[in-house]
Amino acid sequence: SQQGEEDPQALSIQEGENATMNCSYKTSINNLQWYRQNSGRGLVHLILIRSNEREKHSGRLRVTLDTSKKSSSLLITASRAADTASYFCALGGGADGLTFGKGTHLIIQP
Amino acid sequence: EPEVTQTPSHQVTQMGQEVILRCVPISNHLYFYWYRQILGQKVEFLVSFYNNEISEKSEIFDDQFSVERPDGSNFTLKIRSTKLEDSAMYFCASSAGTRGETQYFGPGTRLLVL
């Protein structure tokens, strides 16, 4: 089944800095989604990028997709304390449901 | 903005008891899902539901589990005889379509089986 793996597993940066996390996968995809999960809470959808797209923006978020390298990156610019969370890439969807990786745990130091 | 809601937020039950977790998906969505997340582990797909029947289910979704859409708004997950290892966060999600559409997740129900 499709599965993405996030890297790094954990990331700690100072408030105001940019945070970059990556997702690698092995199968062909139609799209890739990024979600955020605050500790003990639900998953919040951030961005969906389709296989024919290379880059997508949403506010301070920038997602890239390189299907030749089977990888995606999520960039959070000008990080804030509220960005502290776990970030997941998710593949698949449709009837088979989404497959999530283990996530990147991001800590923003004030 | 419409959102997926889930009740209860927390549920504590004794091993062997039946539990029903409830979800109200976004009103114009057609596809519904249940996922679970054991503490410290990945979010795992359990089942998808469309047109009043199960579309797909994972190997986790064994005979102890069932889903139902009893009316036009609710979507339920029943665990018939809970086991200790069923303790997890259970998330409901819905989407407007299946062709790579965004899935919107509820806040989850934390189930603790004693």
Side-chain angles (χ1 to χ4, degrees):
Chain A
S1 64
Q2 298 173 318
Q3 181 172 316
E5 291 296 337
E6 297 87 350
D7 173 67
Q9 289 186 336
L11 180 61
S12 179
I13 61 173
Q14 294 296 122
E15 194 167 17
E17 293 180 340
N18 296 340
T20 300
M21 52 208 87
N22 305 293
C23 171
S24 59
Y25 57 92
K26 295 181 179 178
T27 61
S28 60
I29 60 170
N30 293 319
N31 63 74
L32 183 147
Q33 302 186 47
W34 284 91
Y35 285 82
R36 184 187 75 225
Q37 184 181 35
N38 292 84
S39 180
R41 308 285 289 278
L43 292 148
V44 175
H45 180 260
L46 298 176
I47 287 183
L48 181 152
I49 187 165
R50 301 197 186 278
S51 59
N52 61 352
E53 296 175 310
R54 292 295 167 259
E55 188 170 310
K56 210 161 180 181
H57 296 254
S58 176
R60 293 183 297 112
L61 306 180
R62 172 178 166 247
V63 167
T64 62
L65 179 64
D66 186 336
T67 52
S68 66
K69 294 182 179 177
K70 291 186 165 55
S71 69
S72 174
S73 67
L74 170 66
L75 168 68
I76 304 173
T77 60
S79 63
R80 305 168 182 168
D83 295 328
T84 294
S86 292
Y87 292 81
F88 300 90
C89 63
L91 305 179
D96 289 335
L98 292 169
T99 303
F100 290 85
K102 294 181 180 178
T104 292
H105 185 48
L106 175 65
I107 297 174
I108 309 299
Q109 306 275 5
Chain B
E1 187 173 325
E3 57 183 19
V4 177
T5 59
Q6 290 185 242
T7 55
S9 57
H10 294 78
Q11 173 97 43
V12 180
T13 190
Q14 295 292 325
M15 192 170 56
Q17 295 295 305
E18 175 184 285
V19 294
I20 297 177
L21 309 184
R22 291 182 167 79
C23 169
V24 178
I26 294 173
S27 63
N28 62 344
H29 283 186
L30 301 176
Y31 300 87
F32 314 116
Y33 308 85
W34 283 101
Y35 294 81
R36 80 169 185 193
Q37 185 179 32
I38 295 171
L39 186 65
Q41 298 188 24
K42 294 188 287 189
V43 175
E44 300 172 292
F45 167 71
L46 293 178
V47 65
S48 60
F49 192 87
Y50 169 69
N51 200 26
N52 282 321
E53 60 183 22
I54 290 174
S55 294
E56 292 291 339
K57 56 184 181 179
S58 72
E59 57 187 25
I60 302 169
F61 194 88
D62 62 22
D63 293 342
Q64 294 297 319
F65 292 90
S66 63
V67 290
E68 194 178 32
R69 188 155 163 82
D71 52 44
S73 59
N74 290 283
F75 179 50
T76 62
L77 173 69
K78 181 192 291 186
I79 309 175
R80 225 179 313 279
S81 177
T82 51
K83 305 172 196 150
L84 296 177
E85 54 264 37
D86 293 328
S87 295
M89 193 78 153
Y90 288 82
F91 295 106
C92 173
S94 70
S95 71
T98 60
R99 295 188 178 226
E101 297 294 332
T102 298
Q103 292 184 22
Y104 294 89
F105 283 74
T109 293
R110 186 174 296 281
L111 176 65
L112 178 60
V113 182
L114 302 176

